[in-house]
Amino acid sequence: MAVEELQSIIKRCQILEEHDFKEEDFGLFQLAGQRCIEEGHIEELLEIIQNEKNNVIIKSMGWNLVGPVVRCLLWNDKDEKRKEYFLTLDLLVKLCNPKELLLGLLELIEEPSGKQISHIILLLLQPLQTVIQKLHNNKAYSVGLVLSTLWSQLSLLPVPYSKEQIQTDDYGLCQCCKALIEFTKPFVEEVTDDKENKENEKLKEELLKFCFKSLKCPLLTAQFLEQSEEAGNDPFRCFASEIIGFLSAIGYPFPQIILNHGRKKKTWDCLELEEEEDKQLADSVASLAYLVFVQGIRIDQLPLVLSPSYLLQLNMGHIEVFLQRYDHLDGSSGLTSMFSCLYQEDNSLLYQYLEIKSFLTVPQGLVKVMTLCPIETLRKKGLAILQLYINKLDSQGKYTLFRCLLNTSNHSGVEAFVIQNIKNQIDLSLKKTYNKWFIGPQLISLLDLVLFLPEGAETDLLQNSDRIMASLNLLRYLVIKDNENDNQTGLWTELEKIKNNFLKPLHTGLNMSKAHYEAEIKNSQEKSKHLTAKPPLQPNNTTLFTFDLIESVLARVEELIEIKTKSTSEENVIK
């Protein structure tokens, strides 16, 4: 019945000119054709499409049948008539109005979700290629529209993060990346083969935007197989290499992009990318730098020998982009990037580099990884790399960074880590080489940030226990190593201030805190007499143990101060 209806409509339209077709004719043709497909009459439909007498009708109306044919191919992958469906799709792509067909194909690509996204993209890439090649006017716009639509859909797919996930490729992202490269190559070649064509300038802009989108997704978050493994087995490494190659082919070699990023000099001929300079583009360039300098992709094309300090400077802004994603595996790329750039000799990174914003914001980013990242291995890696970074700085650089971290970290454990580093620098200065930044007035200024309680006696001692213990240990070390008569560190000049700002408030705070927690324990014990199950007292006991430990070290520090001052007084009397 559906076939007869379709044949009746076609017979009536065959005697009309194309411009005489009515809206009613389009609707009836679509309904009848769709019923033919749904009822399995694909052979009869194919025969109608193959009939040259119907070419004008198919050209105007046939694009409406592409959707039903594609859906059959997607949902009936075991249908015995798949060959006929593919032939029908190929003929419709060949015969239909390319402008209408392009919009119809893009609508189909935007329909699915989940795993169906990759299925329809892989199915329609070749038809899209054919349709675009038929569009001679405004071709660049069409290419840009297609690439943007494809990228938008692919960006919805999860990026596999392990070797097993890459190999199984459940969502088809790896297959799509490979297919997308083959889809894009002819357009890249078109730009490179005819550079004088003004239309190709527009095409170049669209390709440039696509390359930068691809650098952001999926390559910004992609995990790569070990370089020792066969490179051809890593779909993301291959995709990245091709994208970087496309950039060079269309006139944007990656050294130019990386070296010029962030400068006032105009880098792009594309206005849209100029506007993106301080926004999403930063992600793309960070990804590019990581691919080149860490993964080594196409690094042989870098025609420069870069000093370690310049390489670090070049990459610090990109590392900062990765570390902003401290709660995700992206942070791992930032950590790896920084580690790969820190191969200077210790103490060789001049303090002037800290005048560059990223040289202070990156270590602050490392602190966020250390304290907020849910992945333990990345937290530990962040700590190790921060220590490595500290080691590379010269003395003034270390001093400046310590002040910055003490003022900004707001984390007791991080502050304890910084204080331990300060102690190490003082120790080196006392034992080996005099260093004005960790001896005398400069050190006293730094100790003002260490030997005090942020809120006096009201400070939460439990929350700040790591910092307080590190501060007490530093003070104990200074009292032991520096005699009052020598006063190399300046400690003894500032002793009264340290007592008033740190030791006395700490005594008061400990007494208040212990009394509070002892009362809580007593209250819990009273309640437990009336309960069958005992309340959890262990946290309170642990808290009291922490207070006892602080009190013990505090008592030892005060004892050492008394011994040292008494000894000095006796020496002065003898003299």
Side-chain angles (χ1 to χ4, degrees):
M1 183 67 179
V3 176
E4 287 79 6
E5 285 182 12
L6 182 61
Q7 287 174 336
S8 174
I9 295 164
I10 287 176
K11 187 174 181 180
R12 181 160 53 82
C13 290
Q14 279 178 341
I15 60 174
L16 299 175
E17 294 293 331
E18 185 176 355
H19 60 266
D20 290 327
F21 294 158
K22 298 177 182 178
E23 188 175 335
E24 180 186 358
D25 298 326
F26 283 86
L28 292 171
F29 177 87
Q30 182 181 359
L31 288 172
Q34 189 167 335
R35 283 184 59 198
C36 286
I37 294 167
E38 292 170 352
E39 294 175 11
H41 303 302
I42 191 66
E43 294 98 334
E44 291 85 346
L45 178 61
L46 180 59
E47 188 177 329
I48 290 169
I49 295 172
Q50 288 172 328
N51 189 335
E52 292 184 2
K53 294 180 181 179
N54 301 329
N55 282 0
V56 174
I57 299 170
I58 300 301
K59 178 186 175 184
S60 294
M61 306 182 188
W63 66 274
N64 282 312
L65 301 180
V66 170
V69 171
V70 168
R71 293 184 190 97
C72 281
L73 285 168
L74 282 176
W75 298 107
N76 303 315
D77 56 351
K78 295 182 180 179
D79 197 307
E80 295 177 356
K81 300 177 181 179
R82 283 183 69 78
K83 181 180 178 182
E84 285 76 12
Y85 282 111
F86 274 114
L87 284 172
T88 302
L89 178 60
D90 289 343
L91 270 174
L92 289 172
V93 169
K94 179 182 175 182
L95 296 173
C96 291
N97 183 312
K99 185 178 179 180
E100 302 288 350
L101 191 56
L102 179 66
L103 296 175
L105 290 172
L106 293 180
E107 285 178 6
L108 287 170
I109 284 175
E110 290 175 325
E111 277 183 11
S113 59
K115 295 181 181 181
Q116 287 296 319
I117 290 175
S118 60
H119 293 167
I120 198 162
I121 286 176
L122 292 170
L123 177 63
L124 295 183
L125 278 178
Q126 186 53 57
L128 281 168
Q129 179 75 256
T130 303
V131 171
I132 291 173
Q133 297 299 352
K134 291 168 64 178
L135 285 164
H136 301 295
N137 295 326
N138 216 1
K139 183 176 182 180
Y141 171 79
S142 300
V143 171
L145 184 62
V146 170
L147 289 175
S148 178
T149 304
L150 291 169
W151 181 85
S152 294
Q153 286 298 97
L154 287 178
S155 66
L156 299 175
L157 297 178
V159 180
Y161 62 86
S162 68
K163 182 178 179 179
E164 292 73 20
Q165 288 185 351
I166 290 172
Q167 289 174 339
T168 55
D169 194 23
D170 284 343
Y171 284 83
L173 179 60
C174 299
Q175 290 182 69
C176 285
C177 286
K178 183 178 179 180
L180 201 52
I181 289 298
E182 295 305 313
F183 174 82
T184 311
K185 272 182 181 178
F187 306 117
V188 174
E189 290 168 359
E190 194 171 325
V191 168
T192 55
D193 291 345
D194 190 3
K195 295 181 180 179
E196 302 302 320
N197 189 333
K198 289 185 178 180
E199 176 66 20
N200 281 349
E201 283 299 312
K202 296 178 182 177
L203 181 56
K204 184 171 79 169
E205 287 185 11
E206 298 298 340
L207 292 170
L208 181 62
K209 286 187 282 187
F210 165 71
C211 288
F212 271 88
K213 285 180 177 180
S214 298
L215 286 169
K216 183 177 179 181
C217 180
L219 293 175
L220 184 69
T221 56
Q223 301 298 304
F224 296 87
L225 303 179
E226 293 294 328
Q227 292 187 42
S228 58
E229 299 181 30
E230 188 179 345
N233 290 335
D234 188 341
F236 291 124
R237 187 175 295 277
C238 294
F239 184 64
S241 180
E242 293 287 354
I243 290 294
I244 296 173
F246 286 169
L247 285 169
S248 296
I250 63 176
Y252 292 98
F254 73 82
Q256 171 190 332
I257 296 170
I258 294 173
L259 297 176
N260 288 339
H261 178 64
R263 298 184 180 182
K264 291 184 179 179
K265 176 185 175 182
K266 184 178 178 182
T267 307
W268 316 107
D269 297 324
C270 176
L271 179 60
E272 187 172 328
L273 282 178
E274 287 288 353
E275 292 170 350
E276 290 284 314
E277 185 74 36
D278 296 322
K279 293 179 270 185
Q280 283 82 359
L281 188 59
D283 291 343
S284 301
V285 181
S287 175
L288 178 61
Y290 173 77
L291 295 171
V292 173
F293 292 116
V294 178
Q295 294 298 330
I297 297 172
R298 300 214 178 209
I299 197 169
D300 56 322
Q301 295 180 14
L302 194 67
L304 301 170
V305 178
L306 303 176
S307 70
S309 296
Y310 181 72
L311 183 62
L312 181 60
Q313 180 183 346
L314 190 65
N315 280 284
M316 271 304 218
H318 308 317
I319 293 167
E320 184 180 6
V321 170
F322 282 110
L323 293 183
Q324 287 170 356
R325 297 170 171 78
Y326 56 82
D327 59 344
H328 192 273
L329 275 171
D330 299 5
S332 176
S333 300
L335 296 176
T336 306
S337 294
M338 189 163 186
F339 180 77
S340 69
C341 294
L342 287 172
Y343 53 85
Q344 301 94 331
E345 293 182 5
D346 285 357
N347 307 305
S348 66
L349 195 61
L350 301 178
Y351 73 91
Q352 288 94 336
Y353 280 101
L354 294 180
E355 295 174 5
I356 302 170
K357 182 184 175 184
S358 58
F359 276 75
L360 283 176
T361 53
V362 163
Q364 289 173 313
L366 288 171
V367 166
K368 288 184 178 179
V369 173
M370 291 159 50
T371 57
L372 299 174
C373 180
I375 306 169
E376 183 182 4
T377 54
L378 295 189
R379 293 198 301 272
K380 291 180 177 178
K381 192 173 181 180
L383 175 64
I385 291 175
L386 180 57
Q387 184 63 66
L388 185 62
Y389 180 59
I390 290 170
N391 295 345
K392 302 304 178 185
L393 292 166
D394 66 9
S395 296
Q396 188 173 348
K398 288 183 176 71
Y399 180 89
T400 303
L401 181 61
F402 293 158
R403 292 188 70 91
C404 172
L405 294 179
L406 286 171
N407 282 318
T408 61
S409 68
N410 297 316
H411 188 279
S412 178
V414 174
E415 290 164 355
F417 166 78
V418 173
I419 293 167
Q420 178 60 44
N421 268 277
I422 293 171
K423 176 177 173 289
N424 293 343
Q425 293 305 310
I426 297 170
D427 190 59
L428 285 172
S429 190
L430 290 173
K431 288 180 179 178
K432 295 182 179 180
T433 307
Y434 172 81
N435 182 342
K436 73 172 185 176
W437 295 101
F438 296 97
I439 290 289
Q442 298 290 354
L443 174 60
I444 294 303
S445 175
L446 193 57
L447 291 179
D448 287 342
L449 298 175
V450 174
L451 301 176
F452 87 109
L453 293 179
E455 297 172 30
E458 302 293 327
T459 300
D460 187 332
L461 301 187
L462 189 62
Q463 189 77 21
N464 289 276
S465 60
D466 288 341
R467 175 204 168 100
I468 291 168
M469 285 298 295
S471 299
L472 286 171
N473 283 326
L474 172 58
L475 183 55
R476 178 173 60 180
Y477 166 84
L478 292 172
V479 171
I480 292 171
K481 292 294 183 181
D482 191 13
N483 294 318
E484 188 173 1
N485 282 337
D486 297 334
N487 198 23
Q488 289 177 276
T489 61
L491 166 73
W492 299 101
T493 309
E494 302 295 318
L495 188 57
E496 284 306 310
K497 183 171 73 173
I498 292 170
K499 286 180 179 179
N500 292 329
N501 292 346
F502 185 51
L503 300 180
K504 289 179 181 178
L506 184 55
H507 262 299
T508 306
L510 280 169
N511 292 335
M512 292 167 57
S513 298
K514 288 180 71 175
H516 171 74
Y517 277 94
E518 284 170 352
E520 269 201 7
I521 290 175
K522 186 177 179 180
N523 186 43
S524 296
Q525 289 172 338
E526 289 294 327
K527 288 182 179 179
S528 69
K529 293 177 182 178
H530 308 289
L531 299 172
T532 54
K534 291 186 178 181
L537 301 177
Q538 187 61 38
N540 288 325
N541 287 331
T542 303
T543 299
L544 286 175
F545 174 78
T546 301
F547 294 153
D548 287 340
L549 187 61
I550 293 173
E551 193 170 43
S552 173
V553 179
L554 173 60
R556 179 58 179 157
V557 168
E558 292 179 325
E559 181 185 359
L560 287 169
I561 290 172
E562 185 178 349
I563 292 169
K564 276 295 187 87
T565 51
K566 184 178 180 181
S567 174
T568 302
S569 299
E570 290 174 352
E571 286 178 13
N572 291 336
V573 169
I574 293 171
K575 290 178 181 178

Short mmCIF file of all heavy atoms in Angstrom, two decimals, residues 42 46 49-50 69 73 81-94:
data_model
loop_
_atom_site.label_atom_id
_atom_site.label_comp_id
_atom_site.label_asym_id
_atom_site.label_seq_id
_atom_site.Cartn_x
_atom_site.Cartn_y
_atom_site.Cartn_z
N ILE A 42 12.30 -1.60 1.20
CA ILE A 42 13.48 -0.81 0.82
C ILE A 42 13.90 -1.06 -0.62
O ILE A 42 14.39 -0.16 -1.31
CB ILE A 42 14.66 -1.08 1.80
CG1 ILE A 42 15.78 -0.07 1.59
CG2 ILE A 42 15.16 -2.51 1.68
CD1 ILE A 42 15.41 1.33 1.94
N LEU A 46 14.36 1.80 -3.32
CA LEU A 46 15.64 1.95 -4.01
C LEU A 46 15.43 2.00 -5.53
O LEU A 46 16.07 2.80 -6.23
CB LEU A 46 16.57 0.79 -3.62
CG LEU A 46 17.96 0.78 -4.24
CD1 LEU A 46 18.73 2.05 -3.88
CD2 LEU A 46 18.75 -0.45 -3.75
N ILE A 49 14.20 5.41 -6.50
CA ILE A 49 15.27 6.42 -6.45
C ILE A 49 16.23 6.26 -7.62
O ILE A 49 16.72 7.25 -8.18
CB ILE A 49 16.02 6.31 -5.10
CG1 ILE A 49 15.08 6.67 -3.93
CG2 ILE A 49 17.24 7.23 -5.07
CD1 ILE A 49 15.65 6.41 -2.56
N GLN A 50 16.47 5.01 -8.05
CA GLN A 50 17.41 4.75 -9.15
C GLN A 50 16.86 5.15 -10.52
O GLN A 50 17.62 5.35 -11.46
CB GLN A 50 17.78 3.26 -9.17
CG GLN A 50 18.70 2.85 -8.01
CD GLN A 50 18.90 1.35 -7.95
OE1 GLN A 50 17.99 0.58 -8.31
NE2 GLN A 50 20.07 0.92 -7.50
N VAL A 69 16.13 6.33 6.88
CA VAL A 69 17.11 5.33 6.43
C VAL A 69 18.22 5.19 7.45
O VAL A 69 18.64 4.08 7.82
CB VAL A 69 17.69 5.72 5.04
CG1 VAL A 69 18.84 4.81 4.68
CG2 VAL A 69 16.60 5.64 3.98
N LEU A 73 19.46 1.93 9.85
CA LEU A 73 20.83 1.41 9.88
C LEU A 73 21.38 1.36 11.31
O LEU A 73 22.12 0.45 11.68
CB LEU A 73 21.74 2.27 9.01
CG LEU A 73 21.59 2.08 7.50
CD1 LEU A 73 22.32 3.16 6.73
CD2 LEU A 73 22.12 0.70 7.09
N LYS A 81 18.67 -6.62 4.98
CA LYS A 81 18.63 -5.67 3.87
C LYS A 81 19.54 -4.46 4.08
O LYS A 81 19.35 -3.41 3.49
CB LYS A 81 17.18 -5.19 3.66
CG LYS A 81 16.22 -6.32 3.33
CD LYS A 81 14.79 -5.81 3.21
CE LYS A 81 13.81 -6.94 2.89
NZ LYS A 81 12.43 -6.46 2.79
N ARG A 82 20.56 -4.59 4.97
CA ARG A 82 21.46 -3.46 5.25
C ARG A 82 22.15 -2.95 3.98
O ARG A 82 22.37 -1.75 3.83
CB ARG A 82 22.52 -3.86 6.30
CG ARG A 82 21.97 -3.89 7.70
CD ARG A 82 23.05 -4.22 8.71
NE ARG A 82 24.04 -3.15 8.87
CZ ARG A 82 23.86 -2.05 9.56
NH1 ARG A 82 22.70 -1.83 10.18
NH2 ARG A 82 24.81 -1.15 9.68
N LYS A 83 22.48 -3.87 3.08
CA LYS A 83 23.13 -3.46 1.83
C LYS A 83 22.25 -2.49 1.05
O LYS A 83 22.73 -1.47 0.53
CB LYS A 83 23.45 -4.70 0.99
CG LYS A 83 24.15 -4.37 -0.31
CD LYS A 83 24.44 -5.63 -1.11
CE LYS A 83 25.09 -5.31 -2.45
NZ LYS A 83 25.33 -6.53 -3.26
N GLU A 84 20.94 -2.81 0.99
CA GLU A 84 20.01 -1.94 0.27
C GLU A 84 19.85 -0.58 0.97
O GLU A 84 19.73 0.46 0.32
CB GLU A 84 18.64 -2.61 0.15
CG GLU A 84 18.57 -3.74 -0.86
CD GLU A 84 19.22 -5.02 -0.38
OE1 GLU A 84 19.53 -5.12 0.83
OE2 GLU A 84 19.42 -5.93 -1.21
N TYR A 85 19.87 -0.62 2.31
CA TYR A 85 19.78 0.65 3.05
C TYR A 85 20.99 1.53 2.76
O TYR A 85 20.86 2.75 2.57
CB TYR A 85 19.69 0.38 4.56
CG TYR A 85 18.31 -0.06 5.02
CD1 TYR A 85 18.08 -1.35 5.47
CD2 TYR A 85 17.25 0.85 5.03
CE1 TYR A 85 16.82 -1.75 5.89
CE2 TYR A 85 15.99 0.46 5.45
CZ TYR A 85 15.77 -0.84 5.88
OH TYR A 85 14.50 -1.22 6.29
N PHE A 86 22.19 0.94 2.73
CA PHE A 86 23.40 1.71 2.44
C PHE A 86 23.36 2.27 1.01
O PHE A 86 23.75 3.41 0.78
CB PHE A 86 24.65 0.84 2.63
CG PHE A 86 25.15 0.81 4.05
CD1 PHE A 86 25.12 -0.37 4.79
CD2 PHE A 86 25.65 1.95 4.65
CE1 PHE A 86 25.58 -0.40 6.10
CE2 PHE A 86 26.11 1.94 5.95
CZ PHE A 86 26.08 0.75 6.69
N LEU A 87 22.90 1.46 0.07
CA LEU A 87 22.79 1.93 -1.31
C LEU A 87 21.81 3.09 -1.41
O LEU A 87 22.04 4.07 -2.13
CB LEU A 87 22.33 0.77 -2.22
CG LEU A 87 23.39 -0.27 -2.57
CD1 LEU A 87 22.74 -1.45 -3.31
CD2 LEU A 87 24.47 0.36 -3.44
N THR A 88 20.70 2.97 -0.67
CA THR A 88 19.69 4.05 -0.67
C THR A 88 20.30 5.33 -0.11
O THR A 88 20.11 6.42 -0.68
CB THR A 88 18.48 3.63 0.17
OG1 THR A 88 17.94 2.41 -0.36
CG2 THR A 88 17.41 4.71 0.16
N LEU A 89 21.02 5.20 1.02
CA LEU A 89 21.65 6.39 1.62
C LEU A 89 22.65 7.03 0.66
O LEU A 89 22.65 8.25 0.48
CB LEU A 89 22.34 5.99 2.93
CG LEU A 89 23.10 7.10 3.66
CD1 LEU A 89 22.15 8.25 4.05
CD2 LEU A 89 23.79 6.56 4.92
N ASP A 90 23.47 6.20 0.01
CA ASP A 90 24.47 6.73 -0.93
C ASP A 90 23.81 7.48 -2.09
O ASP A 90 24.27 8.54 -2.51
CB ASP A 90 25.34 5.59 -1.47
CG ASP A 90 26.29 5.04 -0.42
OD1 ASP A 90 26.50 5.73 0.59
OD2 ASP A 90 26.82 3.93 -0.61
N LEU A 91 22.72 6.91 -2.60
CA LEU A 91 22.03 7.55 -3.73
C LEU A 91 21.37 8.86 -3.31
O LEU A 91 21.42 9.85 -4.05
CB LEU A 91 20.96 6.60 -4.29
CG LEU A 91 21.42 5.66 -5.40
CD1 LEU A 91 20.30 4.68 -5.75
CD2 LEU A 91 21.83 6.46 -6.64
N LEU A 92 20.77 8.88 -2.14
CA LEU A 92 20.15 10.11 -1.66
C LEU A 92 21.20 11.21 -1.49
O LEU A 92 20.97 12.37 -1.83
CB LEU A 92 19.44 9.87 -0.32
CG LEU A 92 18.15 9.02 -0.40
CD1 LEU A 92 17.65 8.68 0.99
CD2 LEU A 92 17.06 9.76 -1.20
N VAL A 93 22.37 10.83 -0.94
CA VAL A 93 23.46 11.81 -0.76
C VAL A 93 23.94 12.33 -2.12
O VAL A 93 24.24 13.52 -2.27
CB VAL A 93 24.62 11.16 0.02
CG1 VAL A 93 25.86 12.05 -0.01
CG2 VAL A 93 24.20 10.89 1.46
N LYS A 94 23.95 11.45 -3.10
CA LYS A 94 24.43 11.82 -4.44
C LYS A 94 23.43 12.73 -5.16
O LYS A 94 23.81 13.68 -5.86
CB LYS A 94 24.67 10.56 -5.25
CG LYS A 94 25.14 10.81 -6.67
CD LYS A 94 25.33 9.50 -7.41
CE LYS A 94 25.69 9.73 -8.88
NZ LYS A 94 25.83 8.46 -9.62
#
